[in-house]
Amino acid sequence: EPSGTFIGTLNEDFALESLPGQVFQLGNNSYRVLRMETGKMRVEDAHGQPPNIPFWLGEAPGRSWELSQALSRFRTQLADRLGTIPDKHENGLPDEDPSWKQDALDWLQQDLNIPAAAGDQIVDYLAAGMAALGIMPSINDIVLERFFDEAGDQHLVIHAPFGSRINRAWGLALRKKFCRRFNFELQAAATEDAIILSLGATHSFPLEEVYQYLNTNTLKEVLVQALLDAPMFEIHWRWNASIALAILRRRQGQRVPPQIQRMQAEDLVALVFPDQLACLENIAGDREVPDHPLVRQTISDCLFEAMDLDRLEVLIDDIRNHRKGLHAVDLREASPLASEILSSKPYTFIDDTPFEERRTLAINQRRWIDPAEAK
């Protein structure tokens, strides 16, 4: 406004949740919301006011396998250069004698050309995480961490820097196994470096047992059943149905509103894949996946584009045959390296629980905050 110029598109959920007066960024400019109309958001130039970033509920490209390997090597090499970490460093407190990390700081500055201030933060962060977990997580050393929140619920964090494509698949498969084992619909999220599974307070099991929950013989079947309940299936189904012209994007020269396209995509699922939208009370066992080209393509996109089933199978085989270092620790509170997954954004969720209902909101991380900063 006021010229009526079309400037771009937004995710429909973000548009519906926005309020008049809210400022968000699109491209290089910030805009202020004026009002909502059917299928349209009216905005004006915010003249550089501090904006929020809009969200899109999609599957962002995950980190490449080569980059994950490089990050893991970086972590391992830095850990090798650390001396004996002081006990007080476990609480995130500053050190009076930083000699234990001087070799690592020199390596970052001289060999990797990282500024001194940034290098000091990197060393402090990774050293605090290593002190809490007892080892530096890498692609060769996987760490399973368990702790409890303020409500008494337990959370499992798998520190595995394999990239989000592998972690998303691993998290979904584990979530399905936990649901079947404990009859509890738990919450899960996955980032490039970690997976979190949030359970209730009544579940008890040996922590090391989690590594053996999956095997390569049934992994694909479990993951297919798991992804059918994940938001990624709906997103990829709608995309495939649209490009196959199974649902119309334009009618009578006018663009079909996104909400109508979503309804039509859902109706199409009901026609070709009835079990996907069927009442769960009427389904015994696994959903029956039909042999339909759109269904096959959508499942393939989820398994091999949004996720990486091939490398996950290799990883699970390595775990089952003890070719990876498998570590498990119980902590009073979440470790510093768990902060990333605990504060992750909605696009990392691999279930459809709203942000305000996440169990991770009850987790307190007081131990790792500098008392001076906390004040």
Side-chain angles (χ1 to χ4, degrees):
E1 293 289 359
S3 60
T5 304
F6 174 76
I7 58 172
T9 58
L10 292 170
N11 178 272
E12 53 201 282
D13 292 326
F14 173 80
L16 293 173
E17 293 176 11
S18 299
L19 299 174
Q22 180 177 336
V23 177
F24 67 93
Q25 181 169 333
L26 189 63
N28 295 325
N29 298 318
S30 57
Y31 300 93
R32 182 185 296 105
V33 179
L34 296 180
R35 63 184 181 277
M36 285 293 301
E37 299 176 356
T38 304
K40 293 181 182 180
M41 175 187 283
R42 299 286 181 174
V43 300
E44 66 178 357
D45 191 348
H47 301 290
Q49 291 189 17
N52 294 323
I53 304 298
F55 63 79
W56 280 262
L57 299 181
E59 302 300 331
R63 188 171 66 200
S64 68
W65 174 243
E66 292 75 16
L67 182 55
S68 296
Q69 288 178 308
L71 175 67
S72 179
R73 286 195 302 270
F74 171 81
R75 284 186 172 191
T76 303
Q77 292 172 8
L78 187 142
D80 292 340
R81 288 171 169 81
L82 291 176
T84 302
I85 302 174
D87 292 340
K88 63 181 178 180
H89 201 75
E90 295 183 9
N91 296 323
L93 300 178
D95 300 294
E96 297 177 359
D97 180 14
S99 59
W100 60 273
K101 60 181 178 180
Q102 192 59 50
D103 188 21
L105 291 174
D106 293 341
W107 174 64
L108 291 177
Q109 295 174 34
Q110 298 172 12
D111 292 7
L112 302 184
N113 297 319
I114 294 178
D120 193 58
Q121 292 181 18
I122 292 172
V123 172
D124 282 347
Y125 172 64
L126 292 179
M130 186 176 175
L133 299 174
I135 193 170
M136 183 70 75
S138 67
I139 60 175
N140 293 317
D141 287 291
I142 306 170
V143 183
L144 180 57
E145 170 189 353
R146 175 167 57 185
F147 54 88
F148 292 82
D149 60 25
E150 299 294 305
D153 295 334
Q154 65 175 310
H155 302 265
L156 304 181
V157 175
I158 303 176
H159 297 278
F162 293 100
S164 61
R165 294 179 64 213
I166 296 178
N167 286 350
R168 190 182 294 126
W170 194 5
L172 271 177
L174 278 177
R175 179 174 180 266
K176 175 59 70 173
K177 277 293 186 179
F178 269 100
C179 288
R180 291 176 173 177
R181 190 179 186 89
F182 297 107
N183 194 28
F184 183 82
E185 197 69 24
L186 70 160
Q187 298 172 2
T191 63
E192 307 285 1
D193 299 313
I195 306 165
I196 188 168
L197 303 170
S198 301
L199 297 91
T202 59
H203 307 111
S204 177
F205 51 89
L207 193 53
E208 296 82 358
E209 186 182 274
V210 176
Y211 285 120
Q212 306 302 319
Y213 278 3
L214 301 173
N215 65 77
T216 53
N217 295 328
T218 59
L219 178 61
K220 183 176 181 179
E221 290 74 15
V222 170
L223 190 54
V224 168
Q225 293 298 319
L227 69 85
L228 295 178
D229 294 323
M232 72 172 70
F233 180 85
E234 179 184 352
I235 293 169
H236 285 274
W237 170 264
R238 182 171 164 184
W239 169 257
N240 286 323
S242 180
I243 63 176
L245 303 181
I247 59 176
L248 298 179
R249 287 178 284 185
R250 302 188 69 85
R251 179 184 293 128
Q252 298 178 352
Q254 299 290 328
R255 183 185 178 190
V256 178
Q259 62 270 24
I260 300 299
Q261 292 186 38
R262 185 178 65 242
M263 295 175 188
Q264 292 176 340
E266 190 173 276
D267 292 341
L268 184 60
V269 172
L271 289 174
V272 304
F273 192 178
D275 281 4
Q276 174 63 9
L277 299 178
C279 177
L280 295 180
E281 294 180 359
N282 298 327
I283 298 179
D286 293 340
R287 290 184 174 94
E288 182 179 352
V289 180
D291 186 18
H292 188 279
L294 281 178
V295 178
R296 290 199 308 268
Q297 184 63 49
T298 301
I299 291 178
S300 176
D301 289 349
C302 292
L303 291 177
F304 300 105
E305 292 187 8
M307 300 183 290
D308 192 343
L309 176 61
D310 292 334
R311 284 204 169 91
L312 179 62
E313 289 179 336
V314 174
L315 172 61
I316 297 302
D317 184 65
D318 288 344
I319 291 175
R320 300 283 295 191
N321 291 282
H322 302 283
R323 290 192 288 266
K324 298 287 186 183
L326 306 177
H327 311 271
V329 293
D330 280 293
L331 300 178
R332 289 178 297 166
E333 295 182 10
S335 69
L337 293 182
S339 299
E340 174 191 357
I341 189 71
L342 295 180
S343 58
S344 61
K345 302 301 181 183
Y347 58 79
T348 66
F349 301 162
I350 48 182
D351 62 82
D352 55 2
T353 304
F355 176 79
E356 61 272 13
E357 298 177 12
R358 308 300 295 187
R359 292 177 179 267
T360 52
L361 296 176
I363 299 173
N364 201 315
Q365 302 181 69
R366 289 188 303 265
R367 284 183 63 202
W368 313 113
I369 298 178
D370 189 332
E373 295 181 3
K375 293 178 182 179

